[in-house]
Amino acid sequence: MISTDDTTRGTLVRRGFALEYATLGWNVIGIVVLAGAAVAARSVALAGFGLDSLIEIGASAVVIWELSGTGEDRRRRALRLIGAGFALLAVYLLVQSTWVLAAGFRPHHSSLGIGWTAVTAAAMFALAAGKARTGAALDNPVLRAEGRVTLIDGLLATAVLTGLLLNSLAGLWWADPAAGYVLVCYALREAREIFPGTR
């Protein structure tokens, strides 16, 4: 006989899979949209945000892999992979922001980029909240950690959106890379918190 706890856990695991597949699908589409927008606007920020989508795809794949199996070793490996994703995200943001500031690169206006990053920010914040709740209910640190990757993706979308708007409306091209440095600190903090917990 199946217990209520088993039924509830099964429902939560299915919800976790659904959240990860939704994130995965969104970011796969996003890479295509962002590539087109980046080329059209000659925007380093949009191109960089497309690379961030690759990191999010990797993190989602890690959680899907972890939810498919059991065992403490599997969970520790999954957490280490997500921690590495945070570290890579921090490096990417640091390099991109520094390069854009040093080069004084000024992208063109991008209606497609503004629209996509605005919708992406809303979607990522909603998905991050769902992952946080589901991960807490399952007591699954991997899903909670990947939820923070999704939150960073939403924050990065907001930063890119702000930079695109300020560049288009006020000519403040440096706003986007400046916001990127704030996210570098957040990503490094998350990576530091994850790695000690996987030992």
Side-chain angles (χ1 to χ4, degrees):
M1 186 173 181
I2 299 174
S3 69
T4 302
D5 286 347
D6 288 340
T7 301
T8 301
R9 180 171 179 78
T11 300
L12 289 169
V13 169
R14 285 192 296 275
R15 184 185 303 163
F17 275 117
L19 289 165
E20 293 304 330
Y21 281 122
T23 305
L24 198 60
W26 187 280
N27 282 291
V28 168
I29 294 169
I31 288 173
V32 177
V33 173
L34 289 164
V39 170
R42 293 177 25 186
S43 170
V44 174
L46 287 171
F49 190 47
L51 293 176
D52 168 71
S53 295
L54 284 175
I55 294 174
E56 180 68 17
I57 287 170
S60 292
V62 166
V63 177
I64 290 168
W65 170 70
E66 194 275 336
L67 287 173
S68 301
T70 57
E72 200 57 37
D73 286 342
R74 190 181 185 110
R75 179 164 289 187
R76 278 196 296 270
R77 284 198 302 272
L79 278 171
R80 279 195 289 268
L81 287 170
I82 292 175
F86 272 117
L88 287 172
L89 182 56
V91 170
Y92 145 68
L93 288 168
L94 182 62
V95 171
Q96 177 196 327
S97 297
T98 303
W99 189 88
V100 171
L101 283 172
F105 190 83
R106 292 167 172 78
H108 302 311
H109 170 76
S110 174
S111 297
L112 177 59
I114 288 170
W116 181 258
T117 51
V119 175
T120 296
M124 292 302 110
F125 288 141
L127 287 167
K131 291 174 187 181
R133 286 194 300 270
T134 306
L138 283 170
D139 192 25
N140 187 312
V142 176
L143 185 55
R144 290 198 304 267
E146 203 280 324
R148 293 195 295 272
V149 175
T150 305
L151 175 62
I152 287 182
D153 200 36
L155 291 170
L156 182 56
T158 303
V160 172
L161 173 62
T162 301
L164 291 172
L165 287 172
L166 289 175
N167 179 60
S168 294
L169 301 175
L172 302 177
W173 60 270
W174 47 264
D176 182 327
Y181 286 119
V182 176
L183 297 178
V184 168
C185 297
Y186 184 87
L188 286 175
R189 187 189 72 180
E190 291 297 336
R192 282 197 300 269
E193 287 182 1
I194 286 173
F195 279 118
T198 62
R199 292 169 188 164

